[in-house]
Amino acid sequence: MKKSTKFGAGLLVMGLAVTLTACGGNKAGGNVGGKTTSGEKPDESVHTAAIVTDVGGVDDKSFNQGAWEGLKEWGEANKLEKGANGYDYFQSTDASQYTTNIDQAVASKFETIFGIGYLLTDAISAAADQNKDTQFGIVDSVIEGKDNVVSLTFKDNEAAYLAGIAAAYSTKTDKVGFVGGEEGAVIDRFEAGFVKGVEDGAKELDKKIKVDVQYAASFGDPAKGKALAANMYQNGVDIIYHASGGTGAGVFQEAKDLNEKQSADKRVWVIGVDRDQEEDGNYKDKDGKEENFTLTSSVKGVGTAVKDVTEKAQKGEFPGGDVLVYGLKEGGVDLSKGHLDQKAIDAVEKARKEVIDGKVEVPEKPAKK
């Protein structure tokens, strides 16, 4: 089976070292709803770090999972154990648990604590005011004026633009879809970039392509994601780009259910988000042949950014008060090659260069908003 690789290999990892100041269910063995699995006090001779997830959880196969993988990679590289003496996660299954989980992470003496997602902004900001000696990071949002908080932001619209170009060059029905989680500034960037990419791709191809935009109003509702995807596919959409965290699992499930009943040449596709979701598209067609329906994925270096900041904190170089911005130019966002044909790959490469060179300005807000 074709193995997915990223455009601009190496940039995603290397570029995240460059900083510019300026998106589940309960899992055993972690911290759930503010309850830690370890009551031990951390060893003061090592640095400790933790993440507090959004409602998608560390197994959302997207945003939160990417952040956890980055922190875990840091911990294992430093021969640390999961738990209060090294690194851990505090999993939120409801927004009401954000503050409780952050407080528990502080009480467990973690030195650097990340809030994964803009929905944790207020809770992280309040915790930073109450715990001046603790270092905090907020992902996908900006908290200004606090020396113990670093903000990690991404130019999601740029990666989404490439996804839109890829969709335009790959659709056979000239109908594509976008499934968003909760409406807001972050997902606005995904929608705006994707729609612009589809529009520019369609213009280059001299045809009209319709984009169906729908929101689930949740990052943790796979059932809603499945229902939205079912409606889109039934109406002729053959490619759906999701920016919906755990809700996206439902989009993948609907595509799988449909594709298992038909031949591979009639498959519908999904474009993944935040991490390479290639493996989530594996399935067997009606003839029992192994296939894949993840067309490509817009990749966001959340995990690498978390790892990067934690490494700095470990060295006593925590970038408190800074806003770190990661885009195509910095290698902080990207697009996987996935199952794109050569024509689409060439179009994406051309579009990437134009964005980096400033020839194309990708909007951050949808035209309708």
Side-chain angles (χ1 to χ4, degrees):
M1 183 170 292
K2 187 174 180 181
K3 179 64 177 175
S4 175
T5 56
K6 300 181 181 64
F7 290 103
L11 288 179
L12 192 63
V13 174
M14 294 173 63
L16 286 178
V18 179
T19 57
L20 305 178
T21 302
C23 60
N26 292 348
K27 293 288 288 184
N31 297 287
V32 182
K35 296 181 181 180
T36 182
T37 59
S38 174
E40 299 177 3
K41 293 183 179 180
D43 184 342
E44 295 181 358
S45 66
V46 299
H47 192 80
T48 59
I51 65 169
V52 176
T53 77
D54 196 353
V55 295
V58 294
D59 57 352
D60 66 353
K61 299 183 178 181
S62 186
F63 192 68
N64 293 288
Q65 184 169 332
W68 171 238
E69 288 173 350
L71 186 64
K72 185 177 180 181
E73 184 177 337
W74 167 80
E76 292 179 344
N78 285 276
K79 298 183 176 9
L80 300 176
E81 294 183 359
K82 179 177 176 294
N85 285 326
Y87 62 99
D88 212 341
Y89 65 86
F90 291 74
Q91 185 153 285
S92 308
T93 56
D94 185 85
S96 64
Q97 296 176 336
Y98 296 156
T99 297
T100 301
N101 284 342
I102 293 170
D103 289 347
Q104 184 61 51
V106 172
S108 298
K109 305 297 183 182
F110 284 101
E111 295 166 277
T112 305
I113 301 168
F114 295 90
I116 310 303
Y118 69 92
L119 294 176
L120 283 83
T121 302
D122 291 343
I124 288 289
S125 182
D129 288 338
Q130 298 163 7
N131 303 277
K132 298 291 186 179
D133 294 331
T134 302
Q135 302 165 344
F136 294 91
I138 183 67
V139 176
D140 263 353
S141 186
V142 174
I143 296 176
E144 298 178 327
K146 302 184 193 298
D147 292 337
N148 62 333
V149 180
V150 60
S151 303
L152 290 72
T153 64
F154 298 82
K155 295 182 180 180
D156 307 293
N157 51 318
E158 294 184 349
Y161 178 76
L162 300 187
I165 292 289
Y169 274 80
S170 301
T171 180
K172 294 180 179 179
T173 63
D174 291 342
K175 293 181 180 180
V176 301
F178 174 84
V179 173
E182 293 187 29
E183 294 190 62
V186 174
I187 308 304
D188 274 357
R189 292 198 292 268
F190 283 96
E191 179 189 340
F194 181 66
V195 172
K196 173 67 172 174
V198 173
E199 290 176 346
D200 286 0
K203 184 176 181 180
E204 292 171 0
L205 294 165
D206 193 26
K207 64 180 182 179
K208 293 182 179 181
I209 301 175
K210 180 180 178 181
V211 183
D212 185 0
V213 176
Q214 300 290 336
Y215 278 81
S218 173
F219 291 111
D221 191 347
K224 185 62 177 292
K226 192 176 190 303
L228 290 174
N231 183 259
M232 287 184 180
Y233 289 136
Q234 288 171 6
N235 289 328
V237 165
D238 62 346
I239 301 170
I240 295 177
Y241 176 42
H242 90 93
S244 58
T247 296
V251 177
F252 276 90
Q253 187 60 55
E254 179 60 24
K256 183 178 181 180
D257 289 348
L258 290 174
N259 288 329
E260 287 178 337
K261 301 173 183 177
Q262 56 195 14
S263 58
D265 62 327
K266 295 181 179 180
R267 88 187 78 179
V268 293
W269 299 90
V270 178
I271 297 178
V273 72
D274 293 336
R275 61 190 294 274
D276 191 344
Q277 296 193 278
E278 167 87 6
E279 63 181 19
D280 301 311
N282 291 333
Y283 77 102
K284 291 183 179 181
D285 67 11
K286 69 173 185 177
D287 299 317
K289 183 180 178 181
E290 292 188 356
E291 297 286 353
N292 188 281
F293 61 80
T294 301
L295 180 65
T296 178
S297 298
S298 65
V299 183
K300 182 172 181 173
V302 179
T304 309
V306 166
K307 179 184 176 183
D308 178 50
V309 169
T310 306
E311 288 175 342
K312 285 181 169 60
Q314 185 178 22
K315 298 175 183 177
E317 302 171 357
F318 179 74
D322 287 354
V323 177
L324 310 183
V325 183
Y326 305 112
L328 281 177
K329 186 176 182 179
E330 296 75 36
V333 296
D334 211 333
L335 193 76
S336 67
K337 286 185 177 180
H339 297 272
L340 299 175
D341 62 23
Q342 192 58 50
K343 188 175 181 180
I345 290 173
D346 291 344
V348 168
E349 290 288 12
K350 177 175 178 286
R352 172 189 283 100
K353 188 175 187 303
E354 289 177 340
V355 172
I356 292 176
D357 291 345
K359 294 181 180 179
V360 171
E361 184 175 348
V362 185
E364 296 187 22
K365 294 183 179 180
K368 65 182 181 182
K369 296 181 180 179

